[in-house]
Amino acid sequence: MQTLLALVLTLVYFPGGGWQESEARAAAAQAGQILGQCGIAPVTIELVRADVDARFRVFHTPSSRELARTLQPGKPAVFFVDGTRQRPAFEAEAIGRGNSRSRPELRDTVWVIKGARDLEIAIAHELAHVLMDSGEHSEEPGNLMRDETAPENTRLSAAQCARLRDTGFANGLLVPERR
Ligand SMILES: [Zn+2]
């Protein structure tokens, strides 16, 4: 039997922003349940309330680097932002190791924009990118890593789970669950 792995997820929530704290917590917990198929225990949530200037509530590499540098959140971290200034503008975005060389503060973070569709699936998808440290997508029907998120796309293959567990563990993002 495979060891159950624990995921401690830091949520960065902005009081006064577009998200409700309860909404962020619920979506993160549901995203964790989707990753449960890979032997990940229900997530432990650590909430960071970022009472910061409104400009930091929008994802944009320069200001978001500054924010992450100041907050130093535990990783992986999910930021619940109001919008994005990135182009192309994604509803949700992940920054792993491979795409963070020029922006190390953003390593192992996920950014979700208010109004993102299929929220818990989008978060699970982006977290899977971070945990696998891979930007790869799958063509398989019903797979969580399909390019487009959809309510029915929730499955991960055995190979994807193995990579998620091994890489996530190697990068210190997953730890053996203590009973
Ligand atoms: Zn993706």
Side-chain angles (χ1 to χ4, degrees):
M1 219 186 96
Q2 65 182 4
T3 327
L4 203 55
L5 294 176
L7 171 60
V8 178
L9 208 50
T10 301
L11 308 186
V12 179
Y13 156 78
F14 302 92
W19 293 92
Q20 296 296 321
E21 185 186 316
S22 55
E23 182 182 22
R25 280 182 183 277
Q30 284 165 11
Q33 277 171 21
I34 294 171
L35 300 180
Q37 65 189 294
C38 294
I40 311 291
V43 291
T44 303
I45 290 173
E46 285 187 355
L47 192 87
V48 173
R49 283 184 189 81
D51 206 353
V52 291
D53 210 73
R55 70 189 177 98
F56 291 111
R57 302 200 302 249
V58 173
F59 182 40
H60 188 225
T61 296
S63 55
S64 298
R65 285 182 68 182
E66 195 184 330
L67 175 68
R69 204 156 45 227
T70 307
L71 295 178
Q72 303 269 341
K75 305 286 183 70
V78 184
F79 288 74
F80 289 83
V81 287
D82 290 351
T84 182
R85 283 179 61 197
Q86 302 291 100
R87 293 297 176 264
F90 295 110
E91 290 186 347
E93 199 167 335
I95 295 116
R97 312 261 157 150
N99 58 352
S100 65
R101 280 187 198 100
S102 64
R103 40 183 184 168
E105 303 85 350
L106 302 185
R107 180 176 301 151
D108 304 325
T109 63
V110 169
W111 298 75
V112 228
I113 281 83
K114 178 69 190 168
R117 282 163 297 174
D118 308 314
L119 183 58
E120 66 278 7
I121 293 165
I123 295 173
H125 174 107
E126 300 305 335
L127 276 174
H129 276 312
V130 166
L131 294 171
M132 291 194 261
D133 192 22
S134 161
E136 271 173 42
H137 287 124
S138 166
E139 302 274 290
E140 206 179 296
N143 196 280
L144 178 68
M145 302 316 288
R146 284 183 71 86
D147 207 352
E148 288 280 322
T149 54
E152 65 275 17
N153 296 347
T154 56
R155 286 196 305 276
L156 288 164
S157 68
Q160 286 172 318
C161 278
R163 173 158 186 172
L164 185 149
R165 289 171 57 90
D166 293 349
T167 309
F169 180 76
N171 287 339
L173 301 174
L174 295 171
V175 293
E177 168 84 340
R178 280 201 238 144
R179 303 263 179 165

